[in-house]
Amino acid sequence: MSSSPIKADDLTAAWNRAIWKTVYLFAGDEDFLMEEALRKIRAHRLTGENADLNHDRFDGEKNSVGEILQACQTVPFLGDGRVVEVKNTGRLSAEAQKELATSLSRI
């Protein structure tokens, strides 16, 4: 998973051209822009009346890498997409962060 940082405007432009990635990592101080990006991802990936069943939220302070990865590998329920949102990944140990990054690069 070797990608370089992208600016919010460039990300929006890619999405407008229907270019979507499987995994996104948002970091920084721009909470509003990150929340807006998450809203757009949820709107794109989660459709229909079962959308809530395909949206998982985790916290790096409370959840293990195993729980997060299990959700990432779960097939969407009666839908086309799944969104797994993880906050506070910096709270995971360095080893857990490496495991998460390595595993996500294979998805």
Side-chain angles (χ1 to χ4, degrees), residues 51-62:
D52 287 341
L53 298 174
N54 293 313
H55 184 199
D56 296 295
R57 293 175 185 91
F58 294 98
D59 188 309
E61 196 168 43
K62 299 174 186 170

Side-chain angles (χ1 to χ4, degrees), residues 3-21:
S3 268
S4 57
I6 185 170
K7 295 181 181 181
D9 291 341
D10 295 333
L11 182 62
T12 300
W15 289 345
N16 288 338
R17 293 188 316 270
I19 300 170
W20 294 84
K21 304 263 186 203

Side-chain angles (χ1 to χ4, degrees), residues 18-95:
I19 300 170
W20 294 84
K21 304 263 186 203
T22 304
V23 176
Y24 289 95
L25 171 66
F26 298 113
D29 297 327
E30 296 290 340
D31 291 338
F32 174 78
L33 293 175
M34 288 186 279
E35 286 300 323
E36 182 65 16
L38 281 169
R39 186 192 64 71
K40 288 178 182 178
I41 290 169
R42 287 189 298 262
H44 175 74
R45 296 272 190 225
L46 303 175
T47 58
E49 57 191 49
N50 296 309
D52 287 341
L53 298 174
N54 293 313
H55 184 199
D56 296 295
R57 293 175 185 91
F58 294 98
D59 188 309
E61 196 168 43
K62 299 174 186 170
N63 299 103
S64 71
V65 170
E67 292 171 302
I68 296 165
L69 291 173
Q70 183 177 8
C72 292
Q73 295 167 346
T74 300
V75 176
F77 180 74
L78 298 175
D80 294 329
R82 177 176 239 25
V83 173
V84 178
E85 185 178 333
V86 184
K87 303 269 184 172
N88 298 317
T89 55
R91 301 287 185 168
L92 295 167
S93 69
E95 184 177 311

